[in-house]
């Protein structure tokens, strides 16, 4: 198992980014690597970090302003070669269809519920490890 996994967290709201960090802890599950975070408050910062490479999973806030995570997810899926899997934070369960439109691999509702979030993040990290990417 790799030593660490790098998780990019995008939200214009520092409280949302903190919720993600706290829900994850050191690692979201015992069978996945320890997580290191890269925090971004703007879409431009997300694109810059993804261009550098080394991101294992992206967590995008669908409610971010001025560019929401859903639109950003769709953009990076089109523009980033071998785009990492995306966990989308959505406002309501009814918005799950928008997460599908954006091509996110998973979605959870805000505010972040720690057990649900950690489970979704761990599943994406496991899948990435199985793909060997």
């Amino acid at each position: 198992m790799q030593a660490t996994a790098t998780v990019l967290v995008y939200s214009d709201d520092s409280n949302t980014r903190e919720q993600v960090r706290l829900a994850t802890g050191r690692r979201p599950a015992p069978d996945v690597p320890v997580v290191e975070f890269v925090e971004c408050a703007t879409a431009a910062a997300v694109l810059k970090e993804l261009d550098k490479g080394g991101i294992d999973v992206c967590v995008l806030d669908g409610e971010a302003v001025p560019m929401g995570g859903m639109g950003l997810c769709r953009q990076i899926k089109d523009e980033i070669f071998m785009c990492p899997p995306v966990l989308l934070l959505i406002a309501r369960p009814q918005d799950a269809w928008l997460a599908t439109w954006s091509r996110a691999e998973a979605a959870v509702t805000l505010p972040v519920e720690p057990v649900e979030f950690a489970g979704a993040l761990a599943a994406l990290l496991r899948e990435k490890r199985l793909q060997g990417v």
Side-chain angles (χ1 to χ4, degrees):
M1 178 166 57
Q2 69 186 40
T4 61
T6 303
V7 175
L8 182 145
V9 182
Y10 165 65
S11 179
D12 66 313
D13 184 345
S14 62
N15 291 325
T16 300
R17 295 192 308 267
E18 181 180 30
Q19 286 178 39
V20 167
R21 285 193 322 273
L22 292 174
T24 305
R26 286 183 36 83
R27 63 174 48 165
D31 63 328
V32 298
V34 171
V35 170
E36 292 179 355
F37 294 101
V38 173
E39 293 188 37
C40 298
T42 67
V46 171
L47 296 174
K48 183 177 179 181
E49 290 296 331
L50 289 173
D51 281 342
K52 288 183 197 174
I55 302 296
D56 294 300
V57 174
C58 295
V59 177
L60 306 178
D61 181 359
E63 303 303 308
V65 176
M67 183 170 199
M70 290 180 209
L72 181 58
C73 180
R74 190 160 174 101
Q75 178 182 346
I76 65 175
K77 292 295 182 176
D78 285 340
E79 295 178 2
I80 303 296
F81 179 67
M82 294 183 62
C83 184
V86 174
L87 173 54
L88 196 59
L89 304 175
I90 57 178
R92 310 168 304 150
Q94 296 88 339
D95 293 335
W97 73 272
L98 288 168
T100 301
W101 168 85
S102 72
R103 297 188 224 141
E105 283 76 7
V108 297
T109 56
L110 287 168
V112 173
E113 195 285 311
V115 173
E116 177 189 20
F117 178 84
L121 180 59
L124 292 178
L125 290 169
R126 285 183 200 108
E127 186 175 321
K128 182 154 176 93
R129 184 181 67 213
L130 289 175
Q131 292 173 354
V133 194

